[in-house]
Amino acid sequence: MKVLIAGAGRLGTQIAHVLSAARNDVTLLEHDDDRVAELGGLPHVRVVAGDACDPALLEHAGVLACDLVIAATGRDEDNLVISLLAKRQFGVGRVAARVNDTENAWLFDQQWGVDVAVPAATPLISLIEEATGATDTVALLRLSKAGVEVIETAITGESRAAGHTLGEIVLPAGTVVATVVRDGRPTVPHPGVRLLPGDELLLVSHEATEQEIHAAFQ
């Protein structure tokens, strides 16, 4: 799923992190250049600088190809404009918007292009579940909130794990394989699965670093 998130504050950044970890194509828009610089190393997320209320910027950021737009700025007026542009001008299929001031909640409806209006006090888990219309990201969010890292690694022809079964791989302590994606399809990671070049693994760990996990497979 292609997702565009407007607003790289705490909320927008957390949503971007969770959705990208769930293998979605995520673009994050932010008008503050200093904040954009801080986010330069955000893994698997494209960060674009500029005002998300600008139609030209939205188009440049790829809104025409997006399945979901999330307006998560701290200003209700901006979230309404972004939602309206996404739905009416660019025809985005699903638009979610954060309501910062409860007195403005009545504005956040389909007339303004909003499919899902989420009050600021709504738990982040619920926001993501409602915005995406799916539940597969919720487990990842619960893991991240519990201090568990979600890490990806890919098997190549040079990987020492290629040709071996999962049961033969010695994983770092506190690490489990959540799924093996082969030919675009997730498979159950039982010990007998033999790893092949092109396989992508999603692992969760509460102790190991990303480097330690990659080392176990590469």
Side-chain angles (χ1 to χ4, degrees):
M1 179 170 63
K2 290 185 178 293
V3 184
L4 188 151
I5 303 168
R10 181 189 60 82
L11 178 66
T13 303
Q14 285 185 324
I15 295 172
H17 174 76
V18 173
L19 292 184
S20 64
R23 304 183 60 78
N24 294 288
D25 183 345
V26 179
T27 298
L28 184 60
L29 301 183
E30 173 58 43
H31 69 87
D32 187 321
D33 291 337
D34 291 337
R35 180 62 174 158
V36 170
E38 291 176 10
L39 295 172
L42 197 63
H44 310 301
V45 176
R46 177 188 177 209
V47 181
V48 177
D51 184 356
C53 294
D54 180 355
L57 179 73
L58 289 174
E59 189 167 358
H60 168 71
V63 69
L64 286 168
C66 283
D67 305 294
L68 168 67
V69 167
I70 302 176
T73 79
R75 292 165 54 90
D76 284 343
E77 54 267 41
D78 288 351
N79 289 342
L80 287 170
V81 170
I82 294 163
S83 299
L84 189 62
L85 287 170
K87 180 66 71 175
R88 301 288 179 247
Q89 183 163 336
F90 297 110
V92 176
R94 190 170 181 84
V95 177
R98 181 188 189 188
V99 184
N100 296 282
D101 186 340
T102 56
E103 292 185 1
N104 296 329
W106 65 276
L107 289 166
F108 286 73
D109 59 18
Q110 292 189 352
Q111 288 187 335
W112 277 93
V114 179
D115 297 306
V116 180
V118 187
T122 301
L124 187 57
I125 289 174
S126 299
L127 187 153
I128 294 176
E129 184 175 7
E130 291 183 48
T132 60
T135 58
D136 56 346
T137 60
V138 175
L140 291 175
L141 179 59
R142 289 198 177 105
L143 288 172
S144 66
K145 288 173 74 67
V148 177
E149 292 293 327
V150 181
I151 299 169
E152 295 177 75
T153 192
I155 304 300
T156 69
E158 288 72 41
S159 300
R160 62 180 178 182
H164 292 274
T165 64
L166 279 177
E168 295 173 323
I169 307 300
V170 179
L171 295 174
T175 302
V176 296
V177 179
T179 189
V180 177
V181 179
R182 179 171 295 167
D183 297 325
R185 297 182 179 181
T187 61
V188 177
H190 60 79
V193 171
R194 192 168 299 278
L195 298 175
L196 304 175
D199 286 351
E200 296 177 311
L201 285 74
L202 189 67
L203 304 97
V204 293
S205 179
H206 62 82
E207 293 185 23
T209 65
E210 186 170 354
Q211 290 75 17
E212 289 172 329
I213 288 176
H214 287 321
F217 293 91
Q218 308 306 326

